[in-house]
């Protein structure tokens, strides 16, 4: 089965940086687009960034452009989210996601908290 295991969440000061990692297994990682979502308390889950399959292109939510960087290491079946200049508004549960296609459903990792506070 598809498994997505997230690590790297925690508490960080405003203006600081944090790196989230998502270790994937159970599928051919390089062939799938991967995404990061986040869900602030009381709000809808929203897309943060995605990276297309293989060595593919990236897309970001407007709020994180120039601040967050999504990347992937296909040899390690790993997707990362490097977050810089963090703001309190970035506080949320962050999720690793493999979007589904017409044949397989989407898959979600366990949410990991990112708390931006002094």
């Amino acid at each position: 089965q598809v498994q997505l295991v997230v690590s790297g969440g925690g508490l960080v000061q405003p203006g600081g940086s944090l790196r989230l990692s998502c270790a994937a297994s159970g599928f051919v990682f390089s062939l799938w687009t991967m995404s990061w979502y986040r869900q602030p308390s009381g709000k809808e889950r929203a897309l943060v960034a995605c990276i297309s399959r293989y060595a593919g292109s990236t897309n970001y939510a407007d709020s994180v452009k120039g601040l967050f960087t999504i990347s992937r290491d296909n040899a390690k079946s790993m997707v990362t989210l490097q977050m810089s200049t963090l703001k309190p508004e970035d506080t949320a549960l962050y999720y690793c996601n493999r979007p589904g296609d017409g044949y397989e459903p989407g898959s979600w990792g366990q949410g990991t908290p990112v708390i931006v506070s002094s």
Side-chain angles (χ1 to χ4, degrees), residues 32 86 89 92:
W32 289 83
L86 284 162
E89 294 76 32

Side-chain angles (χ1 to χ4, degrees), residues 5-27:
V5 180
V6 177
S7 61
L11 177 66
V12 63
Q13 293 185 351
S17 298
L18 203 64
R19 184 180 181 91
L20 304 181
S21 297
C22 175
S25 62
F27 63 101

Side-chain angles (χ1 to χ4, degrees):
Q1 284 96 349
V2 173
Q3 289 189 313
L4 304 173
V5 180
V6 177
S7 61
L11 177 66
V12 63
Q13 293 185 351
S17 298
L18 203 64
R19 184 180 181 91
L20 304 181
S21 297
C22 175
S25 62
F27 63 101
V28 182
F29 177 78
S30 62
L31 298 182
W32 289 83
T33 291
M34 298 295 297
S35 302
W36 288 96
Y37 283 72
R38 67 185 181 186
Q39 186 169 21
S41 180
K43 297 184 180 298
E44 297 282 323
R45 190 176 301 183
L47 180 67
V48 176
C50 62
I51 183 166
S52 62
R53 66 189 183 93
Y54 189 51
S57 60
T58 58
N59 291 96
Y60 298 92
D62 288 342
S63 60
V64 306
K65 285 181 179 177
L67 302 173
F68 290 11
T69 302
I70 187 171
S71 61
R72 66 191 301 157
D73 185 336
N74 291 328
K76 297 180 179 179
S77 296
M78 187 83 66
V79 60
T80 63
L81 185 69
Q82 179 67 48
M83 304 179 290
S84 64
T85 320
L86 284 162
K87 306 179 293 292
E89 294 76 32
D90 295 316
T91 297
L93 288 175
Y94 283 72
Y95 296 86
C96 182
N97 170 255
R98 192 198 78 171
D101 60 13
Y103 301 94
E104 299 184 35
S107 298
W108 294 91
Q110 193 79 346
T112 190
V114 172
I115 302 171
V116 185
S117 176
S118 59

